Amino acid sequence: YDSTVWACIDVLASSISSTPVDAVRKQGGARLPVEPAPPLITAPSAIVDSDVWLYQLAASVATDGNAFGRIVARDAYTFPTQIELLDPAKVTNRCVSDGVPTVTLDSRVEQLYPLGDIWHCPGKHVFAGSPFALSPLKFASGSVDVSLSAQQFTSKWFHDGGHPTALLKVKVADLKQEEAAAIKKAWIKATTGPEPAVVGNDIDYQSVQSTLRESGVDGAVRATVESICRVFRVPPAMIYAAISGQNVTYANVTQADLAYLKHSLNPYLVRIERALGSALPARVAVRFNRNAILQADPA
């Protein structure tokens, strides 16, 4: 992925994986923690820890638009107790057949939970007529392509420079080709080694290589970074790509965190809560501890 895309995905997935998640049961007007917590919440995988599992889940949703997992263990009431996440690239032919959502995995057609063993968590972009979400990367494909092209151009710019990088003007009316080649060879030798360059009155040196700022590439890269951040709804400052003129002060850090929670994280949190809650008993709900995201620092 482009570095900006990867940074946005990492910020979202890291925020989600580090947020405490609880199973609660509504009693009266209060939500009480379920004790003991269901295994699906405390240890959803036998392969990775719960925080890694949440990171993988969030990263799949932020890239593919969907997260899929195979239910590998159930309790006595057939509720899932363990779900091993799948590589979404291997889950193909996603469709609704006779009202039943199905996917193809390892050349086998499988049904989604609760009719089958494939658990599904959709992302934000779910259009009518399908339970499957579209990939944010497809929405951002234009910006990503521009960013990659700009990065390749910048790399080539610093590696190769302008062509040619300079002109040697020889004040000779009739300069023969072999003489020009000899002058060029001598100049390259002098300017690429420890020897000093000597220019006579009849030779002028003129650089034809413009700066990167003059080319406008840096402005294009900055605009593309902002565009990608807009697609993922990640503030540029959070990926260390603050917009020119943007300042983040101690006075507005709390407001920035609240805006990040409401507009960036919350849509993902809601989707994950509902997907996990669908695999638990009816009166048990899953809730991320959003207060943990807004907790103040010691100062």
Side-chain angles (χ1 to χ4, degrees), residues 185-211:
K185 183 177 180 180
W187 179 263
I188 293 175
K189 180 181 178 180
T191 56
T192 56
E195 300 180 15
V198 179
V199 180
N201 290 332
D202 293 333
I203 299 178
D204 290 333
Y205 172 81
Q206 178 183 352
S207 174
V208 297
Q209 188 174 15
S210 61
T211 65

Side-chain angles (χ1 to χ4, degrees), residues 19-284:
T19 303
V21 57
D22 302 307
V24 298
R25 179 180 288 108
K26 191 171 183 180
Q27 184 173 334
R31 289 175 178 167
L32 303 179
V34 175
E35 298 292 348
L40 186 59
I41 302 302
T42 58
S45 168
I47 301 176
V48 297
D49 292 336
S50 58
D51 62 314
V52 178
W53 190 87
L54 279 174
Y55 186 101
Q56 294 173 339
L57 169 60
S60 292
V61 171
T63 53
D64 180 88
N66 302 270
F68 297 93
R70 182 175 293 280
I71 299 172
V72 296
R74 297 174 182 257
D75 61 17
Y77 300 97
T78 72
F79 289 108
T81 58
Q82 199 170 83
I83 299 174
E84 299 298 347
L85 296 177
L86 302 169
D87 180 356
K90 296 181 179 179
V91 182
T92 60
N93 297 330
R94 307 166 190 178
C95 62
V96 178
S97 179
D98 297 327
V100 178
T102 63
V103 297
T104 299
L105 181 63
D106 296 331
S107 301
R108 292 180 52 188
V109 176
E110 305 216 30
Q111 297 178 335
L112 298 189
Y113 178 82
L115 299 177
D117 290 329
I118 302 300
W119 176 80
H120 172 233
C121 177
K124 297 192 297 182
H125 308 292
V126 182
F127 291 160
S130 173
F132 304 106
L134 297 181
S135 168
L137 290 179
K138 289 186 178 180
F139 283 94
S141 60
S143 298
V144 175
D145 289 344
V146 170
S147 181
L148 290 175
S149 298
Q151 288 182 19
Q152 293 170 359
F153 179 84
T154 304
S155 177
K156 189 175 180 62
W157 181 279
F158 284 114
H159 184 268
D160 296 337
H163 295 282
T165 58
L167 293 176
L168 289 177
K169 295 183 178 180
V170 182
K171 301 175 182 178
V172 177
D174 186 15
L175 182 66
K176 297 180 181 179
Q177 184 175 357
E178 56 270 19
E179 292 175 334
I183 294 174
K184 177 181 177 181
K185 183 177 180 180
W187 179 263
I188 293 175
K189 180 181 178 180
T191 56
T192 56
E195 300 180 15
V198 179
V199 180
N201 290 332
D202 293 333
I203 299 178
D204 290 333
Y205 172 81
Q206 178 183 352
S207 174
V208 297
Q209 188 174 15
S210 61
T211 65
L212 188 62
R213 181 176 298 276
E214 291 172 349
S215 72
V217 174
D218 57 340
V221 171
R222 189 183 309 113
T224 304
V225 168
E226 295 173 15
S227 178
I228 293 175
C229 288
R230 193 176 300 115
V231 170
F232 286 96
R233 291 181 177 269
V234 172
M238 297 195 70
I239 62 169
Y240 303 99
I243 303 172
S244 178
Q246 180 189 54
N247 292 316
V248 178
T249 64
Y250 290 109
N252 61 22
V253 164
T254 301
Q255 294 178 346
D257 287 345
L258 180 59
Y260 172 63
L261 171 61
K262 290 175 62 177
H263 303 298
S264 302
L265 282 185
N266 203 54
Y268 289 98
L269 299 181
V270 171
R271 289 283 196 271
I272 296 172
E273 287 172 341
R274 291 183 181 277
L276 285 174
S278 68
L280 296 176
R283 297 185 62 187
V284 177

